[in-house]
Amino acid sequence: MKRSRSTAFECAIVLTVVLWSIGQSFAADDEAAEIEKALAADQAESPAPTPGVASSAGAMIQSLNPDLALIGDFAAAWFNTTEPQQAGGHDPQKTGFNLQQLEMALGATVDTYFRFDSNIVFSQFGVEIEEAYATTLSLPAGLQVRAGQFLTRFGRINNTHPHSWDFVDQMIVVGRYFGGEGNRGLGVETSILMPLPWYVEVVGSMTEATGEASARSFYGAEDLGVRDLGDFQDTAAIKQFFPLGPAWSMMWGLSGAFGPNPTGRENRTEIYGTDLYLKYRPISSNSPQMVALQVEWMHRRRQIPDDVLTDHSGYAYLTWRFAKRWTTAGRYEFGSQTTNQDGNDVVDPLDPLWTDPRTRVSGNVTWWPTEFSRLRLQYSHDMAVWFEKDHDAVFLALEVAIGAHGAHAF
């Protein structure tokens, strides 16, 4: 009897548990249904993803990667002397194989206000930051500011890199007045497009006046420090473009660079220059031919204790693209002797090697397999009185480029 009561009690407990479980199961099913219903409602209220949104997200991710390019310049060279007097830091310097440079160019828009660009150069002797600067994008009234380290916009050739040159080596005038790396420095630059009927750009910059290979006519290798604004190099330039017709165009510029030189804080160097670029390219026909003339001339005046030294240098060259992938060019360069304020020839105490006029003539032919590579054969004949004999040089240069690189200025 006790057993029957116990069994009945256990059955009651089991039945209760079963009924409670069934109840919980129905409750869980109700909750799941409610959750599914809520999710369906949320999904219905949310906008469906569109291909445009996905593309924007992809573009945003891609914009985090800057444009990157690698440009290699190599040259097989022959000189008839063991001591070539090349003017550029990246020129072939010896008979044999030469690595002129491996340039890595990076650039991208930072935000709506700035763009950042840099050029890092690798050579057999190390790595250098050639340029690294930020450029404003949204200043009013045609104003633009660059800040960082950059090549100054003096003249036409100084602000360019070897891969955009029409010759294997650097112009003598650039090496003589500014140094083997061209005129550059840390500083700030402002430019403005003038509201005139033709293209007129006015540029002004203030940079460090030091650098053996980049500010040779100023403090150069001797850094006397910055005491006031007069210890910086100031550069000004005016650049004008004239469309002369359907096939003709011309650019003309005036430049000036002013700063201290190492003979004393109060002794100044002044460099004045003018440049001209005239191009003929018939666009009315299907001809690939193009002819361009480029001329640049500079006059330098330097104060030294008890005297003033002057000289002038420049170049002119003509390029002719006579077929789609072929170009030939001829160049003439000249550098005068140094004279004092009485007009007499003197030994330049700041450049004692350069005692007399120097002339160099060059010619080359270039083949472009594609827009990403080129082969250039060049011959140069260099004449200077202080040479024991005239210098001859032959270069066979190869340039290859990969990656994204922005277009060069006109």
Side-chain angles (χ1 to χ4, degrees), residues 42 53 57 138 141 150 249-250 304 325 356 360 362 381 385:
D42 290 343
V53 173
S138 55
F150 50 84
S249 54
M250 185 180 79
I304 63 172
R325 300 188 184 281
D356 293 286
R360 183 169 72 175
S362 309
H381 184 68
V385 174

Side-chain angles (χ1 to χ4, degrees), residues 55-198:
S55 299
S56 299
M60 183 178 297
I61 294 172
Q62 187 175 2
S63 70
L64 298 176
N65 298 318
D67 293 336
L68 170 64
L70 282 175
I71 305 169
D73 288 283
F74 313 90
W78 171 83
F79 294 95
N80 70 338
T81 175
T82 56
E83 298 181 351
Q85 301 295 317
Q86 293 294 114
H90 299 285
D91 293 351
Q93 299 287 348
K94 64 179 179 64
T95 296
F97 297 106
N98 295 259
L99 169 61
Q100 292 185 253
Q101 67 168 21
L102 175 64
E103 177 185 327
M104 182 170 65
L106 301 102
T109 299
V110 178
D111 49 33
T112 57
Y113 304 103
F114 295 101
R115 176 181 172 82
F116 180 67
D117 293 278
S118 67
N119 295 85
I120 301 171
V121 173
F122 302 82
S123 72
Q124 292 176 302
F125 310 103
V127 181
E128 63 173 338
I129 301 174
E130 190 169 79
E131 292 188 286
Y133 57 85
T135 306
T136 61
L137 298 175
S138 55
L139 293 181
L143 277 168
Q144 192 171 68
V145 175
R146 287 200 300 169
Q149 176 164 296
F150 50 84
L151 291 162
T152 65
R153 297 182 64 188
F154 187 106
R156 182 162 178 83
I157 199 73
N158 185 71
N159 190 39
T160 60
H161 298 148
H163 62 266
S164 62
W165 296 347
D166 291 308
F167 291 84
V168 175
D169 47 2
Q170 188 185 67
M171 307 298 175
I172 290 176
V173 61
V174 176
R176 183 185 190 190
Y177 286 0
F178 298 127
E181 300 291 339
N183 187 218
R184 72 182 185 205
L186 280 165
V188 62
E189 174 196 273
T190 301
S191 59
I192 184 171
L193 288 176
M194 302 301 293
L196 294 172
W198 70 98

Side-chain angles (χ1 to χ4, degrees), residues 26 49 74 180 188 282 307 352 408:
F26 280 114
F74 313 90
V188 62
D307 209 344
H408 297 116

Side-chain angles (χ1 to χ4, degrees), residues 234-247:
D234 300 316
T235 304
I238 300 175
K239 301 178 183 298
Q240 302 181 83
F241 175 77
F242 303 94
L244 303 179

Side-chain angles (χ1 to χ4, degrees), residues 248-307:
W248 290 89
S249 54
M250 185 180 79
M251 198 153 191
W252 176 51
L254 295 169
S255 303
F258 316 93
N261 66 52
T263 62
R265 288 184 180 276
E266 306 304 325
N267 292 330
R268 311 288 293 176
T269 293
E270 302 167 358
I271 302 175
Y272 302 92
T274 183
D275 58 274
L276 175 72
Y277 182 71
L278 180 65
K279 185 170 78 173
Y280 169 74
R281 184 177 185 179
I283 60 174
S284 57
S285 64
N286 196 27
S287 171
Q289 295 202 43
M290 183 185 75
V291 179
L293 170 68
Q294 181 163 317
V295 182
E296 192 162 358
W297 211 258
M298 301 182 198
H299 174 78
R300 181 172 62 173
R301 182 178 184 273
R302 291 168 294 164
Q303 296 175 327
I304 63 172
D306 303 322
D307 209 344

